[in-house]
Amino acid sequence: MGLFLKITSESQGAETVEKAIINNKVINYILDGLNDYYWQDQIAPKLRTLNAQYSHITLGTILRLFLLKNIEIGNLKSFSRYIKKDDKLVIDQMLIANKYESLTEDETRKAICDDVFGYFEEVILKNKTKFQDFDAVAFIPLLKERFEEIKEQKIVNDRKTT
């Protein structure tokens, strides 16, 4: 049934170089866990009814990790918008880098996962009746489970590349 979620990011890092490295590592791990084709392909039959040839990106998402001063200067906010002609929910989430400044890598991963999941759950369920071929209600527990695996660093890429 293919891919239905695509997630990217934009990051200003953090107040220190050391913390920027940690924050970017955490964000990349989250992206890898959610963009995983094998995971998405495995759960897609539970979420979609149309043939794979009709599959499309239903959730187009971006995480933006910015310093608070830049969020305020730019008057930046998280938002979501459903695009009917594409049957796609666009999710653009602003994360405040300063919030994670004093956290360890493990604490940062868990806090960002909680923040991202909370926002995704809210906007996906808010738009649940708009999707033409996506069971948003069935997706939420699967997404929560995936975030729990990410929080505990249980996502391992054991696929062989040639």
Side-chain angles (χ1 to χ4, degrees):
M1 286 260 173
L3 294 175
F4 58 87
L5 178 135
K6 177 67 177 159
I7 186 167
T8 61
S9 70
E10 182 178 358
S11 175
Q12 292 182 337
E15 293 179 10
T16 66
V17 173
E18 295 80 11
K19 186 58 181 175
I21 291 168
I22 290 171
N23 286 351
N24 288 328
K25 180 179 177 184
V26 166
I27 292 290
N28 287 333
Y29 188 69
I30 292 170
L31 296 183
D32 289 346
L34 296 178
N35 279 327
D36 183 0
Y37 172 81
Y38 296 97
W39 171 69
Q40 288 190 41
D41 196 50
Q42 180 183 21
I43 66 172
K46 300 173 187 174
L47 307 173
R48 295 207 154 145
T49 57
L50 297 179
N51 289 331
Q53 69 188 31
Y54 300 112
S55 72
H56 61 281
I57 300 299
T58 305
L59 302 170
T61 63
I62 184 166
L63 301 179
R64 298 184 197 272
L65 182 69
F66 285 14
L67 295 168
L68 180 59
K69 66 180 180 184
N70 295 330
I71 292 172
E72 292 174 343
I73 290 169
N75 195 27
L76 304 173
K77 297 177 180 159
S78 297
F79 78 91
S80 65
R81 179 177 54 225
Y82 178 77
I83 302 168
K84 185 175 183 174
K85 71 178 180 85
D86 296 329
D87 188 32
K88 180 182 199 176
L89 180 62
V90 175
I91 302 172
D92 188 332
Q93 184 177 9
M94 295 296 306
L95 297 165
I96 301 170
N98 310 67
K99 177 180 177 181
Y100 312 107
E101 198 65 36
S102 65
L103 302 179
T104 65
E105 182 177 333
D106 285 342
E107 293 168 335
T108 300
R109 188 178 52 262
K110 291 173 183 176
I112 291 177
C113 282
D114 288 342
D115 290 344
V116 174
F117 174 76
Y119 186 69
F120 280 21
E121 178 182 35
E122 175 187 330
V123 298
I124 290 169
L125 290 177
K126 178 179 151 188
N127 290 278
K128 68 183 176 188
T129 60
K130 297 176 182 176
F131 294 109
Q132 299 166 36
D133 184 36
F134 183 71
D135 187 341
V137 174
F139 177 57
I140 295 302
L142 299 171
L143 182 63
K144 183 175 179 69
E145 180 181 324
R146 189 62 168 187
F147 269 111
E148 290 300 320
E149 293 171 345
I150 293 169
K151 284 166 60 172
E152 300 302 321
Q153 284 190 297
K154 292 182 178 177
I155 308 296
V156 178
N157 181 347
D158 59 357
R159 294 180 297 278
K160 296 185 187 297
T161 57
T162 54

